[in-house]
Amino acid sequence: MKILLIGASGTIGSTVREELGARHEVITAGRNGADVIVDITSPESITAMYQEVGKVDAVVSTAGSTYFGPLTELTPENNELSIESKLKGQVNLVLLGHPYVNDRGSFTLTTGIIMDDPIVGGVSSAMAGGAIKAFVTAAAIEMPRGIRINNVSPNVVAESIGTYGPYFPGFDPVPASKVALAFRKSVEGGQTGQTYTVY
């Protein structure tokens, strides 16, 4: 398969690239250090990316920035980061990208455990993840030409515990390699409209 992976430079993205790259052609896209440069907050940039890459069998997104901080400090401006990047950015990858995905291809987006298992400071991120989950569920029944769509909801990953550990007290971290298997399941499997939660 020819797979377009957006966000390949991150902890999860790089592991997904390694997992899928063992069997498929993976083209990376991101803000820097990728085969194709893209800013997912810009519909024009997303369109330019698809035009450059052309037809693909799968689109995988491990991209999307969010705001972390207490609810009492969450301003509309801070919240826009999550809305513009993680939410609208990933949704627009689908809205603008489905004509570039081959028949019976797939989209796999990224959500996160805190949309179902909240943490202090994670309101904005949880909101974006929950919206993506609902979008995937609803879009699955309307996707054209047999294209599938799923999302992966990872727990905090062990490789990032040094950075994010204080936000996730009592959570049992998972290795990024286990998260990558959920992306493989979405890309290579046959299910659609699913949320693959990785505990």
Side-chain angles (χ1 to χ4, degrees):
M1 280 189 273
K2 182 179 177 182
I3 300 169
L4 175 60
L5 172 60
I6 300 104
S9 63
T11 302
I12 291 175
S14 59
T15 310
V16 170
R17 179 184 185 181
E18 185 177 331
E19 177 64 42
L20 295 175
R23 288 166 303 283
H24 308 290
E25 176 191 358
V26 176
I27 299 163
T28 62
R31 285 174 294 187
N32 45 56
D35 299 325
V36 182
I37 301 304
V38 67
D39 173 6
I40 66 168
T41 67
S42 164
E44 294 78 14
S45 181
I46 291 172
T47 298
M49 171 191 70
Y50 281 123
Q51 290 173 342
E52 180 175 348
V53 173
K55 291 280 192 176
V56 295
D57 298 298
V59 175
V60 174
S61 171
T62 59
S65 300
T66 59
Y67 176 80
F68 275 84
L71 177 64
T72 53
E73 297 175 14
L74 179 60
T75 65
E77 293 75 21
N78 290 337
N79 201 38
E80 281 299 309
L81 173 64
S82 303
I83 293 169
E84 289 294 325
S85 184
K86 189 177 184 77
L87 175 50
K88 285 174 63 177
Q90 291 197 99
V91 167
N92 287 339
L93 289 174
V94 179
L95 300 184
L96 299 171
H98 65 79
Y100 296 90
V101 174
N102 291 326
D103 294 1
R104 295 174 297 282
S106 69
F107 286 91
T108 307
L109 308 181
T110 300
T111 50
I113 193 74
I114 61 174
M115 66 181 178
D116 297 311
D117 194 357
I119 61 170
V120 174
V123 172
S124 186
S125 181
M127 171 208 64
I132 289 291
K133 179 181 179 180
F135 172 78
V136 165
T137 302
I141 67 170
E142 293 192 52
M143 293 297 287
R145 298 179 287 105
I147 296 172
R148 300 177 300 103
I149 182 169
N150 299 299
N151 74 97
V152 174
S153 175
N155 192 358
V156 61
V157 295
E159 290 85 346
S160 298
I161 203 68
T163 302
Y164 295 107
Y167 287 104
F168 291 86
F171 282 70
D172 187 12
V174 296
S177 58
K178 184 175 182 181
V179 176
L181 290 176
F183 284 92
R184 179 183 176 187
K185 183 177 185 180
S186 178
V187 170
E188 297 181 4
Q191 297 179 353
T192 191
Q194 299 299 304
T195 298
Y196 299 117
T197 305
V198 186
Y199 286 109

